C-alpha cells in the first residue's frame, strides 16, 4: 500500500493495475464466500508466494525457502482441518470453547518457525515463516468461524489503501516516515483511517456484525498502515523496490497483503477477547 506514487504511471500501467486489482478482489470474494477447501487452498497459495518473496529479499537459499513453504501446510491445511474441519464451517453456536484449540495450533506454528530458523541458520527464514503463517492460519480460522468478518477486514484494509492514496496525493503535507517510505504523509495516514472508519462501520452494519467491530475501522486502518510501513522498512533494508513481480502493475503478493496481515491477527484477537468476555 502507498498513499502517493513515485511518479505518474502511464495510462496502460493504470489499466493494468486496475484490471489486476479487479481480478484479485473477485477471486478473494468468491473464495471467501465459498469457504472450506477453496478458501484454504487460496490462502496456502498466497502464503507460499509471500514466503518465497520474503526468502528472496533476504537471500535465503531456495531449498530452505521451499521447505518453509511446504511446512506452511501444517498450520494452514493440516492443523486447521484437524481442529476446525472445513465441513463444520460457520458453527451455529460460536463461543470461546470452539476456538480453544487456536492456542495449540499457534504454539505448533511458532515451534515450526523456530526450528526453521535454527536448522537453516537463517533467523530471517524463521521470522518470515511466523510473519506469514500466523496471519494465514488466523484468516482460515476466521473464515471457518465467521466468514462475514473476513469480508469486513478485507473491506477495511482496501478502504485504508484507497483513502490513504487519494488523501496523500490530494493533500500532501508533512512526510510520515521519510527514511522508511518517502511517499507516505500524515494526511495519507489520517485519510486512510477516516476512510476505514466509515467503510468499517458501514460494512459491519450491512453484514450484521455489530460491536465492537462496528467501531474498529479507524484502529484497523492504523494497524494496516503500520503493517505497510514495516514491509517498506524490510524492503529498504533489503535494497529492493518491490517484494516481487508476480502481480502485474502491483509488484509482489507481499506488497499487496502487507497491511492485511496484522489486521487479520488483530481481528482474531479481538474476536477471542469478545467471546471470552461474553
Amino acid at each position: 500500500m502507498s498513499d502517493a506514487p513515485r511518479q505518474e504511471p502511464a495510462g496502460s500501467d493504470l489499466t493494468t493495475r486496475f484490471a489486476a486489482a479487479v481480478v484479485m478482489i473477485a477471486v478473494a470474494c468468491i473464495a471467501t464466500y465459498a469457504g472450506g477447501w477453496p478458501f484454504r487452498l487460496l490462502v496456502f497459495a498466497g502464503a507460499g508466494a509471500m514466503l518465497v518473496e520474503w526468502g528472496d529479499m533476504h537471500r535465503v537459499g531456495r531449498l530452505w525457502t521451499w521447505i518453509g513453504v511446504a511446512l506452511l501446510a501444517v498450520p494452514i491445511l493440516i492443523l486447521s482441518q484437524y481442529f476446525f474441519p472445513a465441513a463444520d464451517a460457520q458453527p451455529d453456536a460460536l463461543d470461546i470453547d470452539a476456538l480453544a484449540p487456536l492456542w495449540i495450533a499457534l504454539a505448533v506454528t511458532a515451534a515450526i518457525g523456530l526450528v526453521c530458523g535454527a536448522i537453516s541458520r537463517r533467523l530471517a527464514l524463521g521470522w518470515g515463516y511466523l510473519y506469514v503463517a500466523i496471519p494465514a492460519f488466523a484468516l482460515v480460522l476466521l473464515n471457518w468461524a465467521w466468514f462475514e468478518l473476513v469480508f469486513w477486514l478485507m473491506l477495511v484494509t482496501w478502504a485504508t489503501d484507497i483513502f490513504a492514496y487519494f488523501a496523500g496525493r490530494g493533500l500532501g503535507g508533512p512526510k510520515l516516515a521519510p527514511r522508511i517510505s518517502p511517499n507516505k504523509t500524515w494526511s495519507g495516514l489520517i485519510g486512510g483511517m477516516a476512510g476505514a472508519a466509515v467503510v468499517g462501520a458501514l460494512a459491519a452494519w450491512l453484514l450484521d456484525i455489530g460491536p465492537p467491530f462496528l467501531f474498529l475501522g479507524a484502529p484497523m486502518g492504523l494497524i494496516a498502515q503500520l503493517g505497510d510501513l514495516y514491509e517498506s522498512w524490510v524492503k529498504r533494508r533489503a535494497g529492493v523496490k518491490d517484494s516481487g513481480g508476480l502481480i502485474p502493475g502491483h509488484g509482489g503478493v507481499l506488497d499487496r497483503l502487507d497491511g492485511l496481515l496484522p489486521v487479520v491477527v488483530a481481528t482474531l484477537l479481538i474476536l477471542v477477547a469478545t467471546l471470552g468476555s461474553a
Side-chain angles (χ1 to χ4, degrees), residues 11-270:
S12 60
D13 290 337
L14 285 174
T15 301
T16 301
R17 287 174 61 86
F18 178 77
V22 169
V23 171
M24 288 187 292
I25 290 172
V27 170
C29 289
I30 292 171
T32 300
Y33 184 78
W37 283 108
F39 183 80
R40 296 179 183 198
L41 292 172
L42 178 64
V43 171
F44 176 69
M50 286 190 284
L51 189 56
V52 169
E53 292 172 355
W54 179 274
D56 288 348
M57 283 196 294
H58 290 83
R59 297 173 177 82
V60 176
R62 271 297 178 92
L63 174 60
W64 285 113
T65 298
W66 283 111
I67 290 174
V69 170
L71 290 173
L72 285 173
V74 175
I76 299 173
L77 302 179
I78 299 174
L79 292 179
S80 66
Q81 179 63 19
Y82 182 77
F83 291 121
F84 310 104
D88 298 338
Q90 203 79 2
D92 294 331
L94 181 62
D95 54 31
I96 191 63
D97 291 334
L99 300 183
L102 158 70
W103 307 112
I104 299 175
L106 290 180
V108 173
T109 303
I112 294 173
L114 292 174
V115 170
C116 279
I119 294 180
S120 67
R121 298 184 180 180
R122 294 299 307 272
L123 293 180
L125 177 62
W127 168 240
Y129 181 89
L130 297 177
Y131 176 58
V132 171
I134 290 177
F137 173 77
L139 192 59
V140 167
L141 177 52
L142 284 172
N143 185 260
W144 174 86
W146 197 354
F147 78 91
E148 288 90 348
L149 267 181
V150 178
F151 280 117
W152 179 84
L153 68 87
M154 289 195 300
L155 287 169
V156 167
T157 306
W158 294 335
T160 302
D161 195 0
I162 293 169
F163 280 87
Y165 174 86
F166 284 107
R169 179 173 179 175
L171 300 176
K175 301 296 184 182
L176 177 62
R179 292 187 178 182
I180 299 176
S181 184
N183 300 301
K184 288 179 171 36
T185 60
W186 282 99
S187 62
L189 173 66
I190 296 170
M193 292 177 64
V198 174
V199 173
L202 182 60
W205 176 66
L206 291 173
L207 295 170
D208 195 25
I209 293 175
F213 298 99
L214 183 68
F215 312 109
L216 289 178
M220 290 299 180
L222 174 61
I223 291 172
Q225 294 187 79
L226 290 175
D228 177 52
L229 279 175
Y230 173 70
E231 201 237 351
S232 295
W233 176 74
V234 170
K235 289 190 293 186
R236 183 166 288 272
R237 289 193 64 190
V240 298
K241 177 182 176 182
D242 298 317
S243 65
L246 185 62
I247 306 174
H250 289 267
V253 177
L254 193 54
D255 291 322
R256 292 303 90 206
L257 300 182
D258 51 7
L260 187 71
L261 298 179
V263 170
V264 171
V265 176
T267 301
L268 178 59
L269 291 177
I270 292 168

